[in-house]
Amino acid sequence: MEITVDQMYQIENKGHDMGFLKKFMMENAGAASVRRLVDKLGNIESKNIVIFVGLGNNGGDGLVMARHLAGYGAKVTVVLLGTFEKIKTEESNWNWSILEKMTSVKLMTGNSFNFHFTPDVIVDAILGTGISGEIKEPYASAINFINQTDCFKFAVDVPSGLDPQTGETANICTKCDMTVTFHKMKQGIPKRKDLTGELFVEKIGIPPEAEEGIL
Ligand SMILES: NC(=O)C1=CN([C@@H]2O[C@H](COP(=O)(O)OP(=O)(O)OC[C@H]3O[C@@H](n4cnc5c(N)ncnc54)[C@H](O)[C@@H]3O)[C@@H](O)[C@H]2O)[C@@H](O)CC1
Ligand SMILES: [K+]
């Protein structure tokens, strides 16, 4: 079953109000994404993984992935597309502050993408269901950088630049090898397999009762 982005936000908020906090949803989303990535790539120990992180909860999912990937022994670099004071949500801030205590994850901010290594994997945790309008900087430069690399690309929830409701793309969009979306498929995502690559839906523990009156 495919649902609308608006329904997704309503379900998310109802789950949160039931006590299954967005922080828990984010944890499960990040964990499920890493499991899919490890299933796909096999041993990721000491692989160079760069995670581009936006300032919303799509970015938050990427921060959770960074922590889990460090646990698998991957060499993880997080590029926050902004400054940490600009992180918009409590859930993302919570996960950022955990990473600040982890020497096993390298944190970068701003929009300098000159890595002195070649990434094996890039994770696109820039934009998700909160996308609106033309992609502004520094997200645009990050998306262009991602598209000119030839490593494995993984999109969190939706390739950044693709509107998960309509399936339309903004001025630019990441073109990925794999996408994991959460809870239920959003109507616009399956329309663009050319951008999503292999597409998966992962349950993230939202109580089915959170859908009552919405679906
Ligand atoms: N729906 C759910 O049940 C869950 C959602 N989660 C994640 O939360 C995401 C939605 O989070 P948010 O609502 O914070 O939204 P996003 O994280 O998708 O993006 C919002 C941020 O991007 C900025 N932005 C929007 N359009 C832009 C543009 N064109 N150019 C530049 N910046 C732009 C906004 O100012 C905002 O800061 C989902 O995609 C998913 O990844 C997960 O945490 C798991 C639970
Ligand atoms: K994304």
Side-chain angles (χ1 to χ4, degrees):
M1 178 195 180
E2 296 170 9
I3 64 173
T4 67
V5 164
D6 183 50
Q7 287 171 329
M8 188 67 246
Y9 276 113
Q10 288 179 59
I11 290 165
E12 186 181 331
N13 292 332
K14 196 162 174 190
H16 186 83
D17 294 346
M18 287 175 72
F20 184 66
L21 306 181
K22 288 179 187 175
K23 195 178 292 173
F24 304 149
M25 297 176 195
M26 182 173 283
E27 184 66 25
N28 289 343
S33 296
V34 168
R35 249 192 318 278
R36 277 288 176 195
L37 193 58
V38 170
D39 280 354
K40 179 76 187 174
L41 300 181
N43 180 17
I44 57 165
E45 188 151 359
S46 65
K47 283 244 192 295
N48 284 313
I49 302 183
V50 177
I51 306 176
F52 286 88
V53 165
L55 299 173
N57 277 357
N58 193 249
D61 296 350
L63 298 175
V64 171
M65 288 183 72
R67 175 164 33 87
H68 285 252
L69 288 165
Y72 279 95
K75 289 195 284 200
V76 182
T77 303
V78 169
V79 181
L80 180 69
L81 296 173
T83 58
F84 79 90
E85 300 91 347
K86 290 207 184 110
I87 295 177
K88 296 238 161 119
T89 64
E90 194 261 338
E91 300 84 29
S92 288
N93 255 309
W94 190 280
N95 280 291
W96 176 264
S97 58
I98 298 171
L99 294 181
E100 282 181 322
K101 302 168 190 138
M102 292 171 62
T103 53
S104 58
V105 173
K106 184 170 180 334
L107 298 179
M108 293 170 66
T109 58
N111 52 10
S112 64
F113 312 136
N114 50 353
F115 309 107
H116 27 271
F117 57 85
T118 310
D120 300 303
V121 178
I122 286 181
V123 173
D124 160 14
I126 300 170
L127 279 170
T129 49
I131 184 169
S132 63
E134 298 294 282
I135 309 293
K136 296 180 280 298
E137 290 298 352
Y139 290 14
S141 303
I143 290 170
N144 286 323
F145 175 86
I146 292 169
N147 283 338
Q148 52 87 27
T149 60
D150 59 3
C151 62
F152 187 86
K153 293 159 208 161
F154 179 96
V156 177
D157 204 23
V158 59
S160 295
L162 176 63
D163 181 328
Q165 181 53 41
T166 63
E168 282 152 27
T169 50
N171 44 327
I172 47 172
C173 182
T174 53
K175 184 169 172 20
C176 296
D177 300 291
M178 182 184 225
T179 297
V180 171
T181 191
F182 309 117
H183 183 64
K184 277 195 164 80
M185 185 57 71
K186 272 62 85 179
Q187 289 169 355
I189 298 177
K191 295 178 182 170
R192 296 305 304 269
K193 288 285 181 64
D194 58 315
L195 297 173
T196 65
E198 257 188 294
L199 187 53
F200 299 93
V201 184
E202 291 292 338
K203 293 295 180 194
I204 52 175
I206 295 176
E209 291 73 11
E211 297 182 340
E212 280 167 14
I214 299 169
L215 295 188

